[in-house]
């Protein structure tokens, strides 16, 4: 186990580089740590509050939601080099296997709500027009996740009018933005994660909703947090056999996806846990906290 310190502004997002040798942590700044070479100092980029991070699948390039902006930066030992920034009151993004992405944001401030926009090559700001607006006015997107091994992505969005908001979970085709499957679940904002087999999980407050195989036609299996505290971060192990969730009870719970029973609970005493990630090879895991402390540990499953 190793404890890193990203600063007092918290660690609301964590992600591993494609080779698993670096870890990016987001609070009020983005800090990239070298995990296997202590001689290399962390590189730091001052930003607004960081809500989401992801590395390009093949390049030393980092995608971030920071403040209201979506930005892409190349990373080297000397620091960050900006490639692209979208000032769009961004909500969330989903990164595809080729480095393309779907971004949710307010691209037109004269229209209500958020829209979805696809970037075939985010680093060069090449966006792809869908035949129709796939989001509709008035929607707020709380979760986006690319479904591994497919050309589809999942969206959790509020629809309707206040106070009758409800949460719709949809699977859309990346090529057109069209809806492939849809269900309405609950009335709370939620985040999403997708497993290698297409299984979808939505986390809302103190409940997880699971759609095995991504089958939205069936009611989800629901899992309540035994502490009744809200879930804050979710991630699948690359094998798909395990799922991790952080929550406001300062724990990290590991679930077996065959039974959906909690098989391990970690208490690191680093504060309220906010984010969790696995390395691409599944050998390491990391959890970030509101104190800025980050625990990296060997995954022994």
């Amino acid at each position: 186990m190793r404890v890193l310190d990203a600063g007092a502004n918290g660690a609301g997002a964590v992600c591993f580089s494609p080779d698993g040798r670096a870890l990016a942590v987001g609070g009020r700044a983005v800090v990239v740590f070298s995990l296997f070479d202590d001689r290399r100092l962390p590189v730091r980029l001052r930003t607004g509050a960081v809500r989401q991070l992801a590395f390009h699948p093949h390049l030393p390039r980092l995608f971030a939601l920071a403040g209201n902006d979506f930005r892409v930066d190349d990373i080297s030992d000397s620091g960050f080099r900006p490639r692209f920034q979208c000032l769009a009151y961004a909500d969330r993004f989903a990164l595809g296997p080729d480095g393309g992405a779907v971004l949710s944001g307010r691209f037109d401030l004269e229209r209500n709500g958020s829209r979805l926009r696809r970037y075939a090559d985010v680093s060069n700001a090449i966006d792809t027009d869908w035949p129709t607006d796939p989001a509709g006015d008035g929607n707020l997107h709380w979760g986006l996740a690319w479904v591994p091994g497919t050309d589809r992505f999942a969206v959790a969005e509020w629809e309707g009018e206040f106070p009758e908001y409800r949460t719709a979970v949809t699977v859309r085709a990346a090529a057109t933005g069209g809806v492939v499957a849809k269900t309405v679940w609950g009335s709370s904002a939620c985040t999403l994660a997708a497993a290698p087999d297409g299984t979808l999980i939505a986390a809302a407050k103190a409940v997880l909703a699971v759609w095995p195989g991504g089958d939205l036609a069936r009611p989800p299996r629901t899992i309540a947090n035994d502490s009744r505290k809200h879930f804050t971060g979710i991630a699948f192990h690359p094998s798909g056999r395990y799922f991790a969730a952080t929550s406001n009870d300062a724990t990290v719970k590991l679930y077996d996806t065959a039974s959906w029973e909690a098989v391990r609970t970690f208490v690191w005493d680093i504060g309220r846990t906010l984010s969790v990630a696995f390395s691409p090879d599944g050998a390491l895991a990391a959890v970030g906290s509101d104190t800025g402390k980050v625990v990296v540990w060997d995954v022994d499953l």
Side-chain angles (χ1 to χ4, degrees), residues 50-197:
V50 179
R51 291 174 286 129
Q52 191 178 356
L53 289 172
F55 275 97
H56 190 284
H58 313 299
L59 300 172
R61 187 168 294 162
L62 189 66
F63 302 77
L65 281 184
N68 291 325
D69 306 334
F70 174 66
R71 59 181 299 146
V72 183
D73 294 89
D74 286 340
I75 305 172
S76 66
D77 290 345
S78 60
F80 292 79
R81 183 169 67 88
R83 291 191 65 91
F84 171 62
Q85 189 168 10
C86 180
L87 307 176
Y89 293 91
D91 298 324
R92 302 291 293 178
F93 71 89
L95 191 63
D98 57 355
V102 173
L103 174 66
S104 167
R106 291 191 64 188
F107 303 104
D108 183 349
L109 296 182
E110 294 183 357
R111 301 180 63 179
N112 293 324
S114 301
R115 295 176 58 208
L116 297 172
R117 178 177 289 178
R118 180 191 176 199
Y119 288 89
D121 185 347
V122 179
S123 60
N124 291 317
I126 300 173
D127 62 306
T128 303
D129 290 332
W130 277 311
T132 58
D133 179 359
D137 288 346
N139 287 7
L140 296 173
H141 306 107
W142 296 103
L144 276 173
W146 205 279
V147 181
T150 74
D151 59 353
R152 299 175 178 179
F153 62 95
V155 188
E157 54 194 308
W158 274 5
E159 59 179 27
E161 299 292 336
F162 179 82
E164 301 299 328
Y165 279 125
R166 57 184 187 171
T167 299
V169 177
T170 61
V171 174
R172 297 179 179 269
T176 65
V179 174
V180 177
K182 178 178 179 178
T183 190
V184 174
W185 175 71
S187 59
S188 300
C190 59
T191 56
L192 287 177
D197 70 350

